[in-house]
Amino acid sequence: MQTVTALPQLRQAVDELRGNGSIALVPTMGALHDGHLTLVREAAKLASHVAVSIFVNPRQFGEGEDLDAYPRQLAEDSAKLEAEGVALLWAPGVDVMYPQGYATNISVSGVSAGLCGADRPGHFDGVATVVCKLFNQVRPDMALFGEKDWQQLAVIRRMARDLDLVLPHVDAIHGVPIVRDPDGLAMSSRNAYLSPEHREAAATLPRAMDEAIARIRDGQEAAPVLAMLEDQLLGAGFGRVDYAELRDADSIAPLAADNGNARLFVAARIGGTRLIDNKKVSP
Ligand code: PAF
């Protein structure tokens, strides 16, 4: 695996790989867990070479968020990627990604409204901006993202369409299903912040979502079912529920009832850690 931290070396490395097949990019912020490695393995099935980026992107963290505390473990991450047969690790510093004088921002409206877009103002601008830059830097044939960040995936797909970003693969912005621990909790780098008690209580989140989905599928009205879901989480030790909402899976528009393309989205905080999850509602 070649690790590069500067743009001229990246261009050279990408040119060499490109002369020799297709490239799938897996953008990450590091602290790699099995969820990320699933993306890497999926990428290896779809392209000749896998490139991974590790960049903790300051522009997608709001004030008071965990930018400084965000786990940074490049040596450990690098060993994991090497073992997966990754061809290229792109690990730029902040000064390379946003050199002095940097002044451009990409803002995607519509799909970024509500949910995490409401709770974390500017977050999706930061994501869209860095992902657009990563696409331009690595020029991949395709890129893979986890469906745990479903709204992020919708924002990136919209941005790529709107800005005519050309990624040649037919399924260029490829979503990969959520990887869950045996108790159902979606894998996340932030799970590392949970104490053993909070980790155990956190498994209430996917269970309560499944119950809510079963009720909505049974024809119960969404609003009282979602209120019940919130009470369940607060009763299990969550300190706050940021949102528990039914939305259209593609447009991310709010729904009062299942429209045949519905997804349940939840963000809730436990012991200071914000967990998000989403599940398909429509059978
Ligand atoms: O999902 C993430 O880890 C980040 O939001 C991404 C896509 C790597 C952009 O920084």
Side-chain angles (χ1 to χ4, degrees), residues 27-29 36 53 55 57 60 70 123 126-127 130-131 134 145 149 152 156:
T28 80
M29 296 203 301
H36 294 112
S53 62
F55 177 66
N57 175 31
Q60 68 187 77
Y70 200 85
H123 169 69
V127 170
V130 82
V131 170
L134 288 167
F145 298 87
D149 297 297
Q152 164 173 286
I156 292 167

Side-chain angles (χ1 to χ4, degrees), residues 12-242:
Q12 198 182 335
V14 164
D15 285 347
E16 278 163 22
L17 293 179
R18 182 160 302 291
N20 203 357
S22 56
I23 302 175
L25 172 67
V26 179
T28 80
M29 296 203 301
L32 303 178
H33 50 67
D34 279 354
H36 294 112
L37 300 183
T38 302
L39 297 182
V40 167
R41 287 172 199 144
E42 190 64 25
K45 289 186 210 152
L46 298 168
S48 331
H49 310 288
V50 180
V52 174
S53 62
I54 294 183
F55 177 66
V56 182
N57 175 31
R59 295 177 76 97
Q60 68 187 77
F61 287 78
E63 236 174 84
E65 290 189 353
D66 55 351
L67 173 62
D68 292 336
Y70 200 85
R72 289 161 172 88
Q73 45 189 55
L74 192 60
E76 213 178 295
D77 288 345
S78 175
K80 288 181 184 169
L81 297 175
E82 184 100 52
E84 292 294 331
V86 166
L88 176 65
L89 170 57
W90 169 224
V94 176
D95 51 335
V96 170
M97 192 59 85
Y98 303 118
Q100 220 191 349
Y102 183 88
T104 300
N105 184 50
I106 295 176
S107 189
V108 180
S109 53
V111 285
S112 62
L115 304 179
C116 289
D119 284 348
R120 306 181 67 190
H123 169 69
F124 287 124
D125 286 13
V127 170
T129 302
V130 82
V131 170
C132 183
K133 283 177 69 73
L134 288 167
F135 286 177
N136 286 331
Q137 290 163 346
V138 179
R139 291 174 286 122
D141 293 82
M142 65 183 311
L144 292 89
F145 298 87
E147 288 183 352
K148 186 165 90 61
D149 297 297
W150 186 278
Q151 191 179 15
Q152 164 173 286
L153 191 53
V155 168
I156 292 167
R157 286 193 169 127
R158 184 76 261 163
M159 182 264 299
R161 277 199 298 271
D162 290 355
L163 296 184
D164 306 312
L165 299 184
V166 182
L167 278 70
H169 194 278
V170 281
D171 183 17
I173 315 281
H174 187 89
V176 177
I178 297 177
V179 181
R180 295 180 182 277
D181 281 338
D183 63 2
L185 185 68
M187 285 192 184
S188 161
S189 304
R190 291 193 169 95
N191 294 355
Y193 301 153
L194 297 170
S195 67
E197 303 78 61
H198 286 144
R199 172 63 193 80
E200 206 182 319
T204 309
L205 175 59
R207 276 202 302 272
M209 289 176 73
D210 286 340
E211 282 176 35
I213 289 167
R215 289 202 169 89
I216 293 169
R217 281 187 188 163
D218 270 1
Q220 292 187 29
E221 246 184 86
V225 169
L226 297 178
M228 204 187 306
L229 163 61
E230 290 199 32
D231 287 346
Q232 243 176 305
L233 294 178
L234 297 173
F238 279 79
R240 190 168 116 192
V241 178
D242 287 350

Side-chain angles (χ1 to χ4, degrees), residues 238-257:
F238 279 79
R240 190 168 116 192
V241 178
D242 287 350
Y243 58 75
E245 289 188 39
L246 198 64
R247 297 239 168 181
D248 182 84
D250 298 316
S251 69
I252 316 292
L255 298 172

